Amino acid sequence: MRALTWQGTSKVSVETVPDPKIQEPTDAIVRITSTAICGSDLHLYDVLGMYLDKGDVLGHEPMGIVEEVGSEVTHIKPGDRVVIPFNISCGHCWMCSRGFFAQCETTQVTSEGKGASLFGYTRLYGQVPGGQAEFLRVPQAQFGPIKVPSHHPDERFLFLSDVLTTSWQAAKYADIQPGDTVFVTGLGPIGQMSARIARHLGAGRVIASDNVPERLAMAQRNGIEVLNTDDVDVPAAVADLTSGRGADSVIESVGMEAHGSPIQSAAIKTTGLLPDALARKAVETVGIDRLAALNTAFAAVRRAGTVSIIGVYGGNADPLPMMDLFDKGVTLRMGQAHVKRWADDILPLLTGDDDPLGVDDLVTHQLPLEQAPHAYEIFKKKEDGCIKVVLKP
């Protein structure tokens, strides 16, 4: 089959690799019909090469048609249309029984001290071949795959794999009460959907910040108030819009990709160029993220408010304003999305002819799988109005 493979820092290519096969009775093989590029994939592209091997298949936002199932897989069958959650969960362990699917004890990568295995995401998370490919072996398929209806294009359901469920969790963790003001940092795919879901869940006002014109325009046409980070001091602007109090809840959806932290940015880029052993040591002991977006979130939230962190961070030596957070009495919630925990809440919103979450207005580029290297470049550089790319194997 053809698959998108990691070949080195800032280098990916589509190669011919062995077809996946059933290895366990809980496996399934899915023929991929659509697979998206995530902002987290850019971390692999630029920064986390020390945890990848040349030829690793990337991608964790896929859907397609079931081709084959193992003997213990009964809730799906060949011919079914399914979305594959990005985290691999068994559904029955202690963590899964409590809804913490991203911490599944059956697939935890204990050797690396990490949670549940993820598709296409380094040795830290199990080095499981990913879904930017023509076919995908799905472990724990007795639980994971989400069966979806046959009507509507793939793009209506595809984001149950990550974007929608991650954004839903971000909004839920923000503890939104009816009429609240919610502020969202960053308007990439997660920020876009978090803002829309916050409004759907009852926020009276949703404000979001970014500096990319296409992202700001997309948010505005979906009813979100926007602040251009190039034009205003964002925390001060949020304070002005909230009678000086600040936002009731903040969803931080940027993570370590934040601009405005030149020292940390240089350190991260340098780490990505070190030999693997040295780079791993640097990340694990002295890693520092770019914290501009996180500090913006902390400054913009009101006293006794809640900050929900869904942007990805990887540093172990991040300096945090603990005195201010303690004094303000801020509640923090964060973590990988527990995809299956939220899927049943979201799926009914996707099946009708209406589109209450605005899912149909997210994808800006559909490209053949063979053009994936080009897609990574325009997504990374925010060129050609690129906000969300879907690849078609």
Side-chain angles (χ1 to χ4, degrees):
M1 69 172 182
R2 300 289 281 171
L4 191 280
T5 64
W6 185 85
Q7 297 293 326
T9 300
S10 299
K11 184 179 181 182
V12 293
S13 64
V14 179
E15 306 289 342
T16 300
V17 304
D19 291 342
K21 300 182 183 302
I22 296 286
Q23 299 177 23
E24 302 289 342
T26 52
D27 286 351
I29 303 299
V30 175
R31 174 174 55 83
I32 302 303
T33 55
S34 294
T35 182
I37 301 176
C38 178
S40 297
D41 290 327
L42 297 181
H43 304 160
L44 311 185
Y45 191 61
D46 278 338
V47 179
L48 296 178
M50 70 288 294
Y51 298 110
L52 289 158
D53 291 333
K54 187 175 181 179
D56 281 355
V57 179
L58 305 184
H60 59 269
E61 296 186 6
M63 70 175 291
I65 306 299
V66 178
E67 293 283 307
E68 185 180 359
V69 297
S71 60
E72 295 182 16
V73 178
T74 58
H75 83 293
I76 57 171
K77 64 184 185 303
D80 284 346
R81 188 188 194 197
V82 295
V83 175
I84 309 302
F86 74 92
N87 39 38
I88 302 170
S89 312
C90 72
H92 57 73
C93 69
W94 190 93
M95 286 288 183
C96 287
S97 69
R98 289 157 175 79
F100 302 128
F101 301 116
Q103 307 298 339
C104 173
E105 292 180 332
T106 300
T107 72
Q108 272 183 17
V109 188
T110 54
S111 61
E112 298 288 349
K114 296 294 184 284
S117 296
L118 309 179
F119 285 103
Y121 217 80
T122 78
R123 290 191 293 278
L124 294 175
Y125 289 98
Q127 207 160 28
V128 181
Q132 290 170 5
E134 292 180 315
F135 294 91
L136 177 67
R137 171 183 167 253
V138 182
Q140 304 298 325
Q142 85 289 344
F143 176 71
I146 302 165
K147 188 175 177 179
V148 296
S150 58
H151 62 286
H152 291 312
D154 280 5
E155 287 72 19
R156 176 63 72 90
F157 302 109
L158 174 62
F159 303 119
L160 283 170
S161 62
D162 185 347
V163 175
L164 276 174
T165 45
T166 293
S167 300
W168 191 276
Q169 177 171 300
K172 283 289 189 178
Y173 278 13
D175 191 28
I176 298 166
Q177 303 301 311
D180 274 358
T181 294
V182 178
F183 170 57
V184 180
T185 63
L187 284 167
I190 300 297
Q192 296 283 345
M193 294 312 307
S194 293
R196 299 176 207 179
I197 290 168
R199 191 182 59 188
H200 175 79
L201 293 177
R205 186 178 196 181
V206 182
I207 306 163
S209 64
D210 206 297
N211 66 347
V212 179
E214 293 84 359
R215 292 180 171 189
L216 295 168
M218 177 179 280
Q220 283 182 305
R221 66 176 177 259
N222 283 279
I224 309 303
E225 296 179 60
V226 299
L227 300 172
N228 189 324
T229 58
D230 289 343
D231 296 339
V232 298
D233 177 286
V234 172
V238 172
D240 287 344
L241 292 169
T242 56
S243 303
R245 182 176 293 123
D248 299 296
S249 300
V250 176
I251 298 172
E252 203 299 272
S253 70
V254 177
M256 62 183 177
E257 293 300 301
H259 298 287
S261 305
I263 295 175
Q264 290 94 326
S265 178
I268 289 170
K269 290 177 181 177
T270 300
T271 299
L273 299 175
L274 292 171
D276 284 357
L278 294 177
R280 286 194 294 269
K281 187 68 173 176
V283 168
E284 292 161 8
T285 58
V286 297
I288 299 177
D289 295 306
R290 287 170 279 186
L291 299 181
L294 193 60
N295 286 322
T296 294
F298 294 157
V301 70
R302 67 162 166 80
R303 290 179 176 275
T306 298
V307 175
S308 172
I309 304 169
I310 204 66
V312 176
Y313 290 89
N316 279 328
D318 291 328
L320 296 178
M322 292 305 299
M323 183 172 70
D324 290 343
L325 293 172
F326 182 84
D327 177 66
K328 291 177 73 172
V330 173
T331 296
L332 301 180
R333 296 198 71 183
M334 66 194 81
Q336 298 277 16
H338 307 295
V339 173
K340 291 290 292 268
R341 181 171 176 175
W342 313 112
D344 288 346
D345 293 333
I346 301 170
L347 187 55
L349 302 173
L350 307 178
T351 55
D353 292 332
D354 58 347
D355 182 20
L357 300 182
V359 177
D360 293 342
D361 185 21
L362 183 64
V363 176
T364 55
H365 292 70
Q366 291 183 348
L367 294 169
L369 178 65
E370 295 292 333
Q371 294 183 28
H374 169 67
Y376 267 76
E377 277 295 296
I378 62 171
F379 185 39
K380 172 190 172 183
K381 297 177 181 178
K382 303 178 179 68
E383 295 176 343
D384 192 34
C386 185
I387 296 174
K388 189 64 177 178
V389 181
V390 173
L391 301 172
K392 300 290 185 175

